[in-house]
Amino acid sequence: MKVLLIPGMDGTGKLFSPLLDELPSGVDTQVICLNDLKNQNPIDQALEIASLIGSEEVIILSESYSGYIAYHLSLLPNLNIKHVIFAASFLENPTWLSRLNKLLPLNLVRSGLIPDIALSSVLFAQRNNKKLVNIFNSSLKLISNSTLRRRLNVIANLVRPSESLSVPCTYVQASNDYLVSNKSVDVFKELCININIVKASGGHFIVQSNPHYFSKLVQGVIAL
């Protein structure tokens, strides 16, 4: 059984390094780099990832932006998906602030001028975790502004889907998520027939904020 890790908006998968350090060496993992996929539309990306999976039994861990991809991936027939973990994900516009994405000064975010303490607090709900901030900044260097803008636009225009999902799911809500509203969880409750809602301590980048929690969660799902 393989654990498929689908990253957030940066698409690099670099931010999964704290989790990979926590997981036992015997856990078979594969990080999907969104930037390596031919398609950029989330639904088309789901189809492309499906072709990579084939018939292999997998557990999917999707964080933030990629929750929409994982949802559509899990709707596809002939896949052997045992469980989907949605980490601080959303299936519709997560907050009214996302509609202001064109005003976001990406060059300022990438410049390193924003104090570490501010990024650490907003993204990870930790006072000043320089290690996580450094991973975040280094992941941004691997992706262009145009790609980030495109993904921000996707988020701003997400329309709530309507098809029910029967694959067993877990939704992990961050205790201090400043980027995704609580109503995002309600969509998963409505659409996922078999879902467990849990809350973990940390910020919106919850997998990075609390890698130990996710290591235990993944191992628990594998053991089911």
Side-chain angles (χ1 to χ4, degrees), residues 70-137:
Y71 165 80
H72 285 281
L73 179 62
S74 302
L75 290 174
L76 297 174
N78 305 319
L79 294 180
N80 192 4
I81 301 175
K82 179 179 181 179
H83 200 101
V84 182
I85 300 171
F86 294 102
S89 298
F90 42 86
L91 296 177
E92 63 178 1
N93 188 318
T95 171
W96 64 271
L97 287 173
S98 64
R99 299 194 183 281
L100 304 177
N101 69 87
K102 293 181 180 179
L103 301 179
L104 182 64
L106 292 179
N107 286 330
L108 175 61
V109 176
R110 300 162 69 100
S111 68
L113 295 176
I114 299 177
D116 288 356
I117 191 170
L119 288 175
S120 184
S121 299
V122 172
L123 302 180
F124 309 109
Q126 297 180 19
R127 176 166 169 73
N128 195 8
N129 191 321
K130 292 183 178 295
K131 179 180 178 180
L132 290 182
V133 171
N134 287 338
I135 295 174
F136 171 77
N137 286 331

Side-chain angles (χ1 to χ4, degrees), residues 61 67 84 116 143 158:
L61 169 55
V84 182
D116 288 356
I143 181 171
L158 282 180

Side-chain angles (χ1 to χ4, degrees), residues 119-213:
L119 288 175
S120 184
S121 299
V122 172
L123 302 180
F124 309 109
Q126 297 180 19
R127 176 166 169 73
N128 195 8
N129 191 321
K130 292 183 178 295
K131 179 180 178 180
L132 290 182
V133 171
N134 287 338
I135 295 174
F136 171 77
N137 286 331
S138 63
S139 71
L140 287 186
K141 292 178 181 178
L142 302 175
I143 181 171
S144 67
N145 276 1
S146 61
T147 299
L148 286 173
R149 287 287 183 202
R150 182 167 55 246
R151 290 177 184 160
L152 284 168
N153 189 59
V154 167
I155 292 172
N157 291 284
L158 282 180
V159 177
R160 178 189 293 215
S162 58
E163 192 169 350
S164 296
L165 182 62
S166 59
V167 175
C169 303
T170 298
Y171 185 98
V172 183
Q173 185 177 17
S175 62
N176 298 89
D177 195 334
Y178 304 119
L179 302 179
V180 173
S181 67
N182 290 332
K183 69 181 180 66
S184 294
V185 183
D186 296 333
V187 182
F188 287 90
K189 290 179 180 178
E190 292 174 11
L191 296 178
C192 300
I193 296 172
N194 182 3
I195 188 167
N196 183 33
I197 309 292
V198 295
K199 181 173 285 190
S201 176
H204 175 67
F205 286 73
I206 187 61
V207 178
Q208 295 72 42
S209 302
N210 205 335
H212 182 72
Y213 178 91

